[in-house]
Amino acid sequence: MYDVTIIGCGVVGASLAYTLSQYDLKVLVLERENDIAMGTTKANSAIVHAGYDPEPGTLIAELNVRGSAMMEDLCRSLDVKYKRIGSFVLAFDEESRRHLDKLYDNGVKNGVPDMRILTGDEARAMDPNLSQEACAALYAPSAAIIDPWGLCIAQAEVAVRNGVTVKLRSQVTGLETRGDGLLLHTTSGDYETRYAVNCAGGWGHEICALTGESEWEAKPSRGEYYLLDKSSGDLVKHVIFQCPTAAGKGVLVAPTVHGNLIVGPSADPAESPYSRETTLAGLDAVAAASRKSVNGIDLRQSIRNFAGVRAITSDPDFIIRPAKACARLLHVAGIKSPGLSAAPAIAEYARDRLADMGVALHKKAEWDGARTQVRFKELSQAEKAELIARNPRYGRVICRCETITEGEIVAAIHSPIPPCSIDGVKRRAGAGMGRCQGGFCGPRVLDILTRELGQSPLDILQDGDGTTLLIGETKGGAKA
């Protein structure tokens, strides 16, 4: 029997697994997809928000600011890309200028450090491509950019290395109370656990419904994005927002930690967490809004459009509490923006709620919470030569756009949570992240996966289950 079972392995589930791996507990993570970081964690703005937007006194406000403060040290320990660059919220008229005062007051009450309200000219002096129409801006230097799936994968890998078990393709389909624990029915079998945590993101309401009581209404929202080539990556130096509305924080323009420019998202009701299609109307709305904030955005430099679905619910706050109809189930649900920013603090808060529910927390005598990753292109010439001498695979570049080597890809394939797809390799090693989006390296990554996993190339996936690229062989023996 497991002590704690975490349902879902996005960034929140992985953060909790990482946190609980520090204790003498038998921990299981159940993930419905064929890899971790496959939901909202895979498709979002990649921003660590400062914390001025949430209403003071809410759990969102408390955990946003605390999580933001924790993030830099955590990413340094895990060797995850993170850069504190600060953010601007722009005002374009007197009404939105007054809203900046409200955001500033929120931030002060929430404990956001070092904020300032600037004139438009002061903001443009710091970021020259801001719109001339912006009359004022709220500056929050503690905002940052991050690799969201990198954070999720790193924490989950460290958790596994410290004894946590991760089961993929394990959708929870039933939940029963059995004596002093729970029996979880899944698509990979049944699991006994003393306590369970609902970190299922967009599917959190379905886990709640398995208790026999629906405690909130799911209101998923789809956000569409442009990702621009690195030639546009230095257009702005900060994260650029407009004043938020009831639909969310609005369209942002920001550099990414990989050197690109991200523009988005829209905000439209979604039918389900799988409603990740992009639309002409949504992308047009993103384009128009972004040009209001920043001069010179060239959307012809887009290398990818994508959409993510936010796990919004009828409850305006984060939902972190025991289930009403199941005393051994802890809900960690409704984790909408700023869920990524708050994730490490959410994990600690959930840990404490588990202790309140009866989980005994005894620190392990030995625990290693650090992780390092080889990034060949960032090494010195001497370091590259030494690495190639030890392992010649690091001397073969597979992804030309990002200079990702065969050695890095093989290391990713044999990591603690091995990928089964080309995009799984991309999330771990970066192959396919560049201008051609895998057009050159994709077939080569497929060949390496085939070799390293001992599988037929017909079974290698692009990403989720059902995304096979090859369907058979031609008469001459070539794959088709």
Side-chain angles (χ1 to χ4, degrees):
M1 176 181 284
Y2 291 93
D3 295 306
V4 179
T5 296
I6 300 166
I7 303 169
C9 200
V11 71
V12 173
S15 295
L16 181 56
Y18 176 83
T19 299
L20 294 182
S21 73
Q22 303 173 49
Y23 299 90
D24 284 318
L25 295 169
K26 189 177 181 183
V27 177
L28 172 66
V29 179
L30 299 172
E31 169 55 49
R32 66 189 288 145
E33 304 288 352
N34 65 17
D35 199 1
I36 64 175
M38 290 286 279
T40 303
T41 300
K42 185 174 73 171
N44 59 77
S45 303
I47 305 300
V48 178
H49 295 278
Y52 48 74
D53 189 48
E55 283 298 313
T58 61
L59 201 53
I60 292 180
E62 175 189 344
L63 299 181
N64 181 170
V65 176
R66 189 193 309 168
S68 176
M70 298 169 66
M71 197 67 79
E72 185 169 10
D73 287 343
L74 177 63
C75 289
R76 185 183 300 112
S77 177
L78 294 170
D79 197 10
V80 171
K81 287 185 175 293
Y82 167 98
K83 190 174 182 182
R84 191 180 294 263
I85 61 173
S87 66
F88 289 121
V89 182
L90 303 183
F92 296 93
D93 52 34
E94 187 54 36
E95 181 181 357
S96 56
R97 170 62 183 82
R98 288 194 298 270
H99 194 70
L100 295 187
D101 291 329
K102 178 179 180 351
L103 294 177
Y104 179 85
D105 289 341
N106 281 358
V108 170
K109 293 173 183 175
N110 293 344
V112 179
D114 303 324
M115 294 179 302
R116 287 183 286 152
I117 293 182
L118 309 176
T119 66
D121 288 339
E122 288 173 329
R124 281 183 287 273
M126 297 172 66
D127 222 322
N129 286 319
L130 295 184
S131 169
Q132 293 296 320
E133 301 301 314
C135 61
L138 173 64
Y139 173 52
S142 62
I145 53 178
I146 192 173
D147 175 1
W149 60 55
L151 177 63
C152 179
I153 291 168
Q155 291 189 105
E157 287 183 352
V158 170
V160 168
R161 201 179 64 214
N162 285 281
V164 171
T165 299
V166 173
K167 297 281 188 181
L168 303 174
R169 295 184 172 103
S170 298
Q171 178 182 348
V172 175
T173 58
L175 182 154
E176 297 180 42
T177 299
R178 290 284 185 90
D180 61 350
L182 301 171
L183 180 64
L184 302 179
H185 304 290
T186 83
T187 50
S188 68
D190 293 345
Y191 301 93
E192 291 183 300
T193 186
R194 299 188 190 283
Y195 297 89
V197 187
N198 174 10
C199 294
W203 295 270
H205 65 292
E206 295 182 2
I207 302 301
C208 180
L210 295 178
T211 69
E213 186 167 346
S214 296
E215 299 183 32
W216 63 85
E217 179 185 356
K219 296 184 174 182
S221 174
R222 185 180 69 252
E224 301 175 47
Y225 293 87
Y226 287 88
L227 182 69
L228 274 58
D229 183 63
K230 291 182 179 180
S231 59
S232 298
D234 60 356
L235 183 64
V236 294
K237 301 175 183 178
H238 305 82
V239 181
I240 312 301
F241 296 102
Q242 297 170 12
C243 280
T245 68
K249 295 180 176 64
V251 171
L252 61 83
V253 180
T256 74
V257 291
H258 300 104
N260 303 87
L261 190 78
I262 191 169
V263 182
S266 56
D268 297 294
E271 292 184 2
S272 82
Y274 285 122
S275 301
R276 301 169 189 163
E277 65 275 9
T278 55
T279 65
L280 179 60
L283 292 173
D284 282 350
V286 168
S290 65
R291 291 181 175 125
K292 182 178 179 181
S293 298
V294 177
N295 300 318
I297 295 179
D298 184 2
L299 295 176
R300 295 172 300 178
Q301 294 299 315
S302 176
I303 61 174
R304 192 176 190 91
N305 295 115
F306 65 94
V309 178
R310 311 172 185 93
I312 296 174
T313 72
S314 52
D315 192 321
D317 207 349
F318 289 161
I319 301 167
I320 309 179
R321 60 176 184 255
K324 292 179 180 178
C326 182
R328 290 182 174 269
L329 175 66
L330 176 68
H331 291 313
V332 181
I335 309 299
K336 49 191 171 288
S337 180
L340 170 62
S341 315
I346 290 172
E348 290 191 347
Y349 187 89
R351 174 203 61 194
D352 294 344
R353 301 293 74 74
L354 285 169
D356 294 341
M357 293 164 65
V359 175
L361 298 175
H362 302 292
K363 278 287 187 78
K364 290 178 177 175
E366 294 184 4
W367 179 79
D368 182 5
R371 186 202 71 152
T372 58
Q373 186 173 13
V374 172
R375 297 185 180 92
F376 183 82
K377 64 183 176 183
E378 297 178 5
L379 301 178
S380 67
Q381 290 299 107
E383 290 170 329
K384 289 177 181 177
E386 181 183 354
L387 185 59
I388 292 170
R390 293 200 311 267
N391 185 345
R393 284 175 170 168
Y394 283 97
R396 182 188 178 207
V397 173
I398 301 298
C399 174
R400 294 180 178 179
C401 295
E402 296 295 305
T403 318
I404 308 299
T405 66
E406 183 180 6
E408 292 166 273
I409 292 168
V410 171
I413 293 171
H414 295 289
S415 61
I417 305 174
C420 66
S421 68
I422 294 171
D423 281 0
V425 170
K426 176 176 73 173
R427 288 187 287 274
R428 289 161 174 81
M433 288 278 288
R435 186 180 183 91
C436 83
Q437 288 290 288
F440 175 81
C441 68
R444 291 156 181 80
V445 174
L446 186 150
D447 286 342
I448 296 170
L449 279 163
T450 296
R451 181 191 75 208
E452 295 298 317
L453 297 179
Q455 294 182 355
S456 165
L458 302 177
D459 295 329
I460 300 300
L461 302 167
Q462 179 66 47
D463 198 5
D465 287 343
T467 61
T468 48
L469 296 172
L470 304 176
I471 59 173
E473 295 187 12
T474 64
K475 289 184 179 179
K479 303 296 186 296

